[in-house]
Amino acid sequence: MNVTKPSIPKGTRDFSQLEMTRRNYIFDTIRGVFQRHGFLPIETPAMENLSTLLGKYGDEGDKLLFKILNSGDFLSGANAPLSPNSDKASLQICEKGLRYDLTVPFARYVVQHQAELTFPFKRYQIQPVWRADRPQKGRYREFYQCDIDICGSNSLLNELELIQIVAEVYKKLNINVKLLINNRKVLAAIAEAIDAPDHIVDITVAIDKLDKIGIENVNAELASDGLSQAQIDKLQPILNLEGSRVEKIAALRNILTTETGQKGLDELETLFRYVDSLNIDLNIEFDIRLARGLNYYTGAIFEVKALDVQIGSITGGGRYDNLTGIFGLDGMSGVGISFGADRIYDVMTQLDLFPSDAVATTRLLFANFGADDELYSLQLLAAVREAGISAEIYPDAAKMKKQMQYADKKGIPFVALCGENERNAQTITLKDMVKGEQMTVSLAEAIAMIKA
Amino acid sequence: MNVTKPSIPKGTRDFSQLEMTRRNYIFDTIRGVFQRHGFLPIETPAMENLSTLLGKYGDEGDKLLFKILNSGDFLSGANAPLSPNSDKASLQICEKGLRYDLTVPFARYVVQHQAELTFPFKRYQIQPVWRADRPQKGRYREFYQCDIDICGSNSLLNELELIQIVAEVYKKLNINVKLLINNRKVLAAIAEAIDAPDHIVDITVAIDKLDKIGIENVNAELASDGLSQAQIDKLQPILNLEGSRVEKIAALRNILTTETGQKGLDELETLFRYVDSLNIDLNIEFDIRLARGLNYYTGAIFEVKALDVQIGSITGGGRYDNLTGIFGLDGMSGVGISFGADRIYDVMTQLDLFPSDAVATTRLLFANFGADDELYSLQLLAAVREAGISAEIYPDAAKMKKQMQYADKKGIPFVALCGENERNAQTITLKDMVKGEQMTVSLAEAIAMIKA
């Protein structure tokens, strides 16, 4: 066999034991909150048929799909000579692709299994997704999404539930966040209000850049998009909207007078009333500039930003009224959010928020003194594990220095030294690696000390 | 958008909430035992470079790799006209493949990260793998493996630890199993003993079929493999070996007289002595016929069979002395086993072994009586969740029959009915969906009843 220099594809990552333990702390926290709200997991395959994926993420998204080469003699399987165009050729030799997000597979799942499901259907899904993005800092080709969706109910209580979940997750993770809320109907009504209903995308894209490029550049961009000066002038009071949630809604009531506008404001008002009545412990802002990239939202739009660190959105979502329509099931409204585990990990690392006990490791290492004393240590080891303590024995009778270094490097807090004396007296000599102290005790005392 | 009839690639599966909850019960049990033995998780990317994967699983394995089409203009990226041969062409247009197992990625990981690791390195890894096998009952193109390996120690205490882990996992899962143990050195010594060292693969393949095709057919197969009648005659006492572990080893001591043979028997003897001294609660058999497909084992070979159901191996593994050699790191011995989660799931389903509380679901549903009564229910809901109970509110003020059906279908054991009377009296009317009883109680009493 020829020797292969080991490496992994660019944009992908190995996760070490420390990283995994910390990631699992995040996943377990999120999962616990999801479950307490009555959500249960599903999983879908990593591979979906390309017919399921193509056309769902725009032209740009189609390009970012990882396609899987058909197995076997794929060239003979292509029912015509291969096109010289790579895009066309790829469809002749690939039927499957890796999932790009969890939302389209979820929509596909709901339609395919609708007869077995109980609606409103509440599910969460924590799985990796793959995108052939250009790798860069903080952007990966394989990353996890943690999605939660409710499907088959128009009630705003679902939006409320998502807000409660955001509040609980970030409280447990100890991350200070701000939840931004907007409503797609309000955005549509803004375009209506300035007599530019066809320009809703231009307007939301431009508004979204307000923080970054300033109001003058936004106005210039709108002009180059084809908006008249009159339309741009009409937009200014909206761009400059300030004040509390109540004040903003009150101001917009007089500007967004269409049915769509009033409906959007009604929805926001109801949601904020819930939030206030229940004293939800979360910084919530009505942000007219929040649009998010996806065009399929029809009602609420959510985004969570971490307050103490410069990073993009760490959670986002909204209501989409007809996602399952693309798979032939109309009239199924859904609302959901997605927690970005990788960004949350980065935030917690930067702010040093991982609790020290998020490093689950062995609590006790039995030193190995060789064959004569082995059995006594093995018997104690079994008893200690039976008591629920993570424990191990150094597998070789190596030099004591090496064994101690092993405990040290792995952060194992206690080492048991059981030689002939301990065996005869049926005791354990326990070394506390943190304090550097050492004492000879009974098994029961040792277990109590380690659990303390 | 055109409507896509939803389906998933053949050989792949969606997992429903019930299936997921049961699968997680298996994963959590296995993970808990792994961790108690001082193993911690790592994860590797779904995609590996093809150079990492190719040539590691034999010609047959290479054919079963899922290859990922290079992104972008892959045709221009192929630095020569595309070969008319699909195998060759695939290497011109694909650099990456989906992992086929967890062992090769683990070997790659150890070599790539050797400077950061503490040896002996103990890791577990629970991730899906992909194989372009022909789909059939019980064989999937995407399935999970749960692997545990110790790398960098020759001690038989590692083999002992794996046996203890097998015993603990299956005791917790309540599955009756038999652990078969053999040693690759013993197999090599058998070939030596009958003067056919070059035929070790033929011999082990033939022996492996003993149960299925009988001794006469095995002998015929060996003859057609080129073994002489004298060699086949010499093999008969080995094929007919019977008795306890001690008796088998004693009998083989006189037959397998080479150094390799004696070494293999020493290893088995030491391992069985450990097992007996520690009274490990597991049915363990020394099975000379156990060979397993993989040729890289060099010492112990393990396989677990479920006793009460007809199914193949549900766990298997062994010691391999030089797996990391293919990535340029020699002399790193490893030993590991892999738990087959899909087969374990099938066993538990067939034998009805899932505990009833492995169906984690909402414990309490608040019925929805509409806007007037909503807030009171929402406040109680928050308090109930705060007490650690999974709870939800039906999101719409639908007919009571529909709401009750929802609770029924989801197996929710309690429904809270909180209308005007309850709100005024600050009580909850709690319906026990199992007993059909209904009573009006305080919040604290309700929490106690639901937790009981």
Side-chain angles (χ1 to χ4, degrees), chain B residues 115-377:
Chain B
E116 309 143 35
L117 304 180
T118 304
F119 293 97
F121 181 57
K122 304 169 80 172
R123 83 88 174 77
Y124 74 83
Q125 192 168 353
I126 300 180
Q127 290 192 276
V129 301
W130 295 270
R131 296 181 186 179
D133 255 321
R134 189 168 297 279
Q136 59 186 70
K137 189 177 174 337
R139 181 174 291 180
Y140 305 103
R141 292 185 150 190
E142 173 180 57
F143 57 98
Y144 271 81
Q145 291 192 332
C146 310
D147 276 26
I148 184 162
D149 289 85
I150 305 137
C151 187
S153 161
N154 293 305
S155 167
L156 289 169
L157 286 179
N158 300 306
E159 277 84 342
L160 169 66
E161 177 140 64
L162 297 181
I163 294 173
Q164 289 176 312
I165 286 171
V166 166
E168 287 173 37
V169 163
Y170 287 111
K171 191 175 179 189
K172 278 180 194 288
L173 292 178
N174 205 17
I175 302 177
N176 286 323
V177 297
K178 183 164 66 175
L179 172 64
L180 307 177
I181 299 186
N182 197 4
N183 192 297
R184 183 60 158 65
K185 296 185 181 77
V186 167
L187 290 174
I190 291 173
E192 289 168 2
I194 66 165
D195 306 317
D198 297 342
H199 284 280
I200 175 167
V201 172
D202 296 329
I203 293 169
T204 54
V205 166
I207 292 181
D208 193 35
K209 295 182 184 166
L210 204 54
D211 275 347
K212 277 190 206 135
I213 63 174
I215 195 155
E216 285 182 24
N217 290 315
V218 163
N219 289 338
E221 194 165 312
L222 289 169
S224 79
D225 287 334
L227 268 74
S228 69
Q229 192 55 45
Q231 289 173 323
I232 293 172
D233 287 346
K234 262 189 163 172
L235 193 63
Q236 299 310 302
I238 296 169
L239 295 182
N240 291 313
L241 199 69
E242 282 191 354
S244 68
R245 298 188 308 232
V246 172
E247 289 163 349
K248 282 180 185 169
I249 291 177
L252 289 172
R253 282 276 180 211
N254 300 319
I255 305 172
L256 310 178
T257 52
T258 61
E259 194 188 333
T260 307
Q262 296 295 310
K263 181 79 169 45
L265 293 170
D266 286 349
E267 289 180 8
L268 284 167
E269 214 164 57
T270 303
L271 206 49
F272 292 139
R273 189 166 42 75
Y274 282 139
V275 163
D276 292 334
S277 309
L278 292 168
N279 294 314
I280 292 178
D281 185 14
L282 181 66
N283 183 346
I284 301 177
E285 199 177 295
F286 168 27
D287 187 351
I288 192 81
R289 291 167 298 188
L290 180 65
R292 293 185 61 83
L294 293 167
N295 280 320
Y296 55 69
Y297 292 131
T298 51
I301 305 172
F302 300 111
E303 191 163 283
V304 177
K305 281 186 161 30
L307 289 179
D308 305 324
V309 60
Q310 282 289 340
I311 205 164
S313 149
I314 56 176
T315 292
R319 179 173 286 275
Y320 40 89
D321 273 341
N322 195 23
L323 189 73
T324 58
I326 50 177
F327 297 111
L329 180 65
D330 284 321
M332 184 67 81
S333 183
V335 59
I337 48 172
S338 180
F339 288 81
D342 290 283
R343 289 229 174 130
I344 293 172
Y345 184 93
D346 289 345
V347 170
M348 294 187 68
T349 303
Q350 280 188 53
L351 299 177
D352 199 16
L353 292 179
F354 287 106
S356 57
D357 60 0
V359 187
T361 184
T362 303
R363 299 280 301 156
L364 174 65
L365 174 75
F366 281 85
N368 190 327
F369 293 102
D372 290 344
D373 300 304
E374 220 167 49
L375 186 60
Y376 180 59
S377 286

Side-chain angles (χ1 to χ4, degrees), chain A residues 217-245:
Chain A
N217 290 316
V218 164
N219 288 337
E221 193 165 313
L222 289 168
S224 79
D225 287 333
L227 267 74
S228 69
Q229 192 55 46
Q231 288 172 323
I232 293 173
D233 287 346
K234 263 191 163 171
L235 193 61
Q236 298 311 302
I238 297 170
L239 294 183
N240 291 313
L241 200 66
E242 282 189 359
S244 69
R245 298 188 308 234

Side-chain angles (χ1 to χ4, degrees), chain A residues 75-147:
Chain A
L75 287 172
S76 303
N79 45 20
L82 218 53
S83 165
N85 173 292
S86 283
D87 281 348
K88 287 180 184 157
S90 73
L91 300 181
Q92 294 180 270
I93 57 177
C94 299
E95 283 170 7
K96 296 179 286 289
L98 294 178
R99 68 174 161 252
Y100 179 90
D101 72 358
L102 301 177
T103 308
V104 167
F106 172 61
R108 194 266 308 146
Y109 180 93
V110 168
V111 177
Q112 190 175 332
H113 299 277
Q114 54 185 296
E116 309 142 36
L117 304 180
T118 304
F119 292 98
F121 181 58
K122 304 169 81 171
R123 83 86 173 79
Y124 73 84
Q125 193 167 354
I126 300 180
Q127 291 191 276
V129 302
W130 294 270
R131 296 181 187 179
D133 254 320
R134 190 170 297 277
Q136 59 186 70
K137 191 179 172 337
R139 181 174 291 180
Y140 305 104
R141 292 184 151 190
E142 174 180 58
F143 57 97
Y144 271 81
Q145 291 193 330
C146 309
D147 276 26

Side-chain angles (χ1 to χ4, degrees), chain A residues 36 73 86 155 161 385 395, chain B residues 36 73 86 155 161 385 395:
Chain A
R36 219 154 51 129
D73 188 0
S86 283
S155 167
E161 177 139 63
R385 282 184 184 143
Chain B
R36 220 155 47 133
D73 189 0
S86 283
S155 167
E161 177 140 64
R385 282 183 184 145

